[in-house]
mmCIF file of all heavy atoms in Angstrom:
data_model
loop_
_atom_site.group_PDB
_atom_site.id
_atom_site.type_symbol
_atom_site.label_atom_id
_atom_site.label_comp_id
_atom_site.label_asym_id
_atom_site.label_seq_id
_atom_site.Cartn_x
_atom_site.Cartn_y
_atom_site.Cartn_z
ATOM 1 N N MET A 1 -14.115 84.788 -47.474
ATOM 2 C CA MET A 1 -13.337 83.824 -46.649
ATOM 3 C C MET A 1 -14.186 83.377 -45.466
ATOM 4 O O MET A 1 -14.683 84.190 -44.700
ATOM 5 C CB MET A 1 -12.056 84.528 -46.180
ATOM 6 C CG MET A 1 -11.331 83.899 -44.994
ATOM 7 S SD MET A 1 -10.506 82.338 -45.275
ATOM 8 C CE MET A 1 -9.225 82.821 -46.443
ATOM 9 N N PRO A 49 -6.640 70.119 -15.027
ATOM 10 C CA PRO A 49 -6.707 68.649 -15.168
ATOM 11 C C PRO A 49 -8.116 68.102 -14.940
ATOM 12 O O PRO A 49 -8.557 67.207 -15.667
ATOM 13 C CB PRO A 49 -5.730 68.147 -14.090
ATOM 14 C CG PRO A 49 -4.751 69.274 -13.942
ATOM 15 C CD PRO A 49 -5.579 70.534 -14.085
ATOM 16 N N LEU A 52 -10.087 68.850 -18.048
ATOM 17 C CA LEU A 52 -9.642 68.007 -19.162
ATOM 18 C C LEU A 52 -10.159 66.577 -19.025
ATOM 19 O O LEU A 52 -10.501 65.936 -20.029
ATOM 20 C CB LEU A 52 -8.110 67.998 -19.237
ATOM 21 C CG LEU A 52 -7.494 69.204 -19.956
ATOM 22 C CD1 LEU A 52 -6.004 69.306 -19.635
ATOM 23 C CD2 LEU A 52 -7.708 69.104 -21.462
ATOM 24 N N GLY A 64 -5.104 77.762 -20.978
ATOM 25 C CA GLY A 64 -4.721 78.519 -19.799
ATOM 26 C C GLY A 64 -5.124 79.984 -19.968
ATOM 27 O O GLY A 64 -5.298 80.466 -21.086
ATOM 28 N N GLN A 65 -5.235 80.670 -18.847
ATOM 29 C CA GLN A 65 -5.616 82.091 -18.887
ATOM 30 C C GLN A 65 -4.398 82.997 -19.067
ATOM 31 O O GLN A 65 -4.531 84.208 -19.250
ATOM 32 C CB GLN A 65 -6.349 82.477 -17.603
ATOM 33 C CG GLN A 65 -7.663 81.752 -17.415
ATOM 34 C CD GLN A 65 -8.305 82.033 -16.067
ATOM 35 O OE1 GLN A 65 -7.900 82.948 -15.362
ATOM 36 N NE2 GLN A 65 -9.289 81.244 -15.713
ATOM 37 N N THR A 76 9.104 81.637 -9.523
ATOM 38 C CA THR A 76 8.083 81.168 -8.580
ATOM 39 C C THR A 76 6.681 81.630 -8.974
ATOM 40 O O THR A 76 6.473 82.819 -9.222
ATOM 41 C CB THR A 76 8.426 81.670 -7.173
ATOM 42 O OG1 THR A 76 9.736 81.187 -6.833
ATOM 43 C CG2 THR A 76 7.424 81.176 -6.139
ATOM 44 N N GLY A 77 5.782 80.692 -9.026
ATOM 45 C CA GLY A 77 4.384 81.019 -9.291
ATOM 46 C C GLY A 77 4.014 81.047 -10.756
ATOM 47 O O GLY A 77 2.835 81.165 -11.090
ATOM 48 N N GLY A 88 -2.443 68.758 -22.022
ATOM 49 C CA GLY A 88 -3.420 68.550 -23.091
ATOM 50 C C GLY A 88 -4.127 69.823 -23.510
ATOM 51 O O GLY A 88 -5.127 69.769 -24.226
ATOM 52 N N VAL A 92 -4.142 79.292 -25.227
ATOM 53 C CA VAL A 92 -3.795 80.110 -24.059
ATOM 54 C C VAL A 92 -4.190 81.568 -24.339
ATOM 55 O O VAL A 92 -4.031 82.048 -25.458
ATOM 56 C CB VAL A 92 -2.292 79.982 -23.707
ATOM 57 C CG1 VAL A 92 -1.384 80.595 -24.777
ATOM 58 C CG2 VAL A 92 -1.991 80.599 -22.350
ATOM 59 N N GLU A 105 1.428 94.048 -17.421
ATOM 60 C CA GLU A 105 2.000 93.416 -18.606
ATOM 61 C C GLU A 105 2.053 94.418 -19.763
ATOM 62 O O GLU A 105 1.075 95.086 -20.071
ATOM 63 C CB GLU A 105 1.171 92.183 -19.004
ATOM 64 C CG GLU A 105 1.260 91.087 -17.965
ATOM 65 C CD GLU A 105 0.806 89.727 -18.479
ATOM 66 O OE1 GLU A 105 0.431 89.607 -19.662
ATOM 67 O OE2 GLU A 105 0.841 88.783 -17.678
ATOM 68 N N LEU A 122 0.824 75.901 -28.842
ATOM 69 C CA LEU A 122 -0.464 76.415 -28.364
ATOM 70 C C LEU A 122 -0.994 77.469 -29.327
ATOM 71 O O LEU A 122 -0.218 78.163 -29.984
ATOM 72 C CB LEU A 122 -0.291 77.084 -26.990
ATOM 73 C CG LEU A 122 0.033 76.163 -25.816
ATOM 74 C CD1 LEU A 122 0.568 76.992 -24.639
ATOM 75 C CD2 LEU A 122 -1.192 75.360 -25.395
ATOM 76 N N GLY A 129 -7.303 96.034 -26.620
ATOM 77 C CA GLY A 129 -8.481 96.873 -26.380
ATOM 78 C C GLY A 129 -8.123 98.123 -25.606
ATOM 79 O O GLY A 129 -7.183 98.120 -24.812
ATOM 80 N N ARG A 146 -0.925 99.873 -31.602
ATOM 81 C CA ARG A 146 0.341 99.577 -30.905
ATOM 82 C C ARG A 146 0.308 98.168 -30.304
ATOM 83 O O ARG A 146 1.281 97.422 -30.379
ATOM 84 C CB ARG A 146 0.616 100.616 -29.806
ATOM 85 C CG ARG A 146 1.990 100.416 -29.204
ATOM 86 C CD ARG A 146 2.381 101.402 -28.124
ATOM 87 N NE ARG A 146 3.823 101.374 -27.907
ATOM 88 C CZ ARG A 146 4.467 100.389 -27.255
ATOM 89 N NH1 ARG A 146 3.813 99.384 -26.739
ATOM 90 N NH2 ARG A 146 5.798 100.430 -27.131
ATOM 91 N N ASP A 153 4.869 91.512 -33.277
ATOM 92 C CA ASP A 153 6.030 91.973 -34.041
ATOM 93 C C ASP A 153 6.924 90.814 -34.495
ATOM 94 O O ASP A 153 7.330 89.979 -33.684
ATOM 95 C CB ASP A 153 6.852 92.933 -33.156
ATOM 96 C CG ASP A 153 8.070 93.457 -33.884
ATOM 97 O OD1 ASP A 153 7.945 93.818 -35.067
ATOM 98 O OD2 ASP A 153 9.159 93.477 -33.269
ATOM 99 N N VAL A 164 -5.055 83.797 -32.761
ATOM 100 C CA VAL A 164 -6.405 84.370 -32.689
ATOM 101 C C VAL A 164 -6.284 85.698 -31.957
ATOM 102 O O VAL A 164 -5.472 85.824 -31.029
ATOM 103 C CB VAL A 164 -7.367 83.430 -31.923
ATOM 104 C CG1 VAL A 164 -8.737 84.070 -31.721
ATOM 105 C CG2 VAL A 164 -7.494 82.088 -32.642
ATOM 106 N N ALA A 184 -17.956 97.696 -32.380
ATOM 107 C CA ALA A 184 -17.088 96.516 -32.451
ATOM 108 C C ALA A 184 -16.567 96.353 -33.878
ATOM 109 O O ALA A 184 -15.357 96.219 -34.095
ATOM 110 C CB ALA A 184 -17.852 95.266 -32.004
ATOM 111 N N SER A 197 -1.680 94.619 -43.717
ATOM 112 C CA SER A 197 -0.464 95.386 -44.011
ATOM 113 C C SER A 197 0.763 94.724 -43.389
ATOM 114 O O SER A 197 1.868 94.857 -43.889
ATOM 115 C CB SER A 197 -0.610 96.833 -43.520
ATOM 116 O OG SER A 197 -0.491 96.889 -42.120
ATOM 117 N N THR A 207 -7.615 85.178 -40.313
ATOM 118 C CA THR A 207 -7.436 85.322 -38.860
ATOM 119 C C THR A 207 -8.778 85.536 -38.165
ATOM 120 O O THR A 207 -9.576 86.383 -38.579
ATOM 121 C CB THR A 207 -6.518 86.528 -38.536
ATOM 122 O OG1 THR A 207 -5.253 86.321 -39.175
ATOM 123 C CG2 THR A 207 -6.309 86.663 -37.033
ATOM 124 N N ILE A 209 -10.949 87.049 -35.374
ATOM 125 C CA ILE A 209 -10.924 88.178 -34.446
ATOM 126 C C ILE A 209 -12.204 88.100 -33.608
ATOM 127 O O ILE A 209 -13.307 88.300 -34.117
ATOM 128 C CB ILE A 209 -10.837 89.532 -35.185
ATOM 129 C CG1 ILE A 209 -9.649 89.536 -36.168
ATOM 130 C CG2 ILE A 209 -10.697 90.675 -34.178
ATOM 131 C CD1 ILE A 209 -9.554 90.809 -37.026
ATOM 132 N N GLY A 235 -16.624 86.241 -20.534
ATOM 133 C CA GLY A 235 -16.238 86.121 -19.131
ATOM 134 C C GLY A 235 -17.420 85.676 -18.291
ATOM 135 O O GLY A 235 -17.753 84.488 -18.235
ATOM 136 N N SER A 238 -19.876 82.969 -19.220
ATOM 137 C CA SER A 238 -19.380 81.608 -19.455
ATOM 138 C C SER A 238 -19.460 80.760 -18.187
ATOM 139 O O SER A 238 -19.208 79.557 -18.223
ATOM 140 C CB SER A 238 -17.939 81.631 -19.977
ATOM 141 O OG SER A 238 -17.020 81.977 -18.963
ATOM 142 N N GLY A 243 -26.086 79.700 -20.387
ATOM 143 C CA GLY A 243 -25.822 80.971 -21.059
ATOM 144 C C GLY A 243 -24.705 80.843 -22.088
ATOM 145 O O GLY A 243 -24.808 81.364 -23.205
#
Side-chain angles (χ1 to χ4, degrees):
M1 162 70 65
L52 278 164
Q65 296 174 13
T76 302
V92 67
E105 294 197 1
L122 291 164
R146 187 179 197 285
D153 180 43
V164 174
S197 75
T207 301
I209 307 176
S238 73

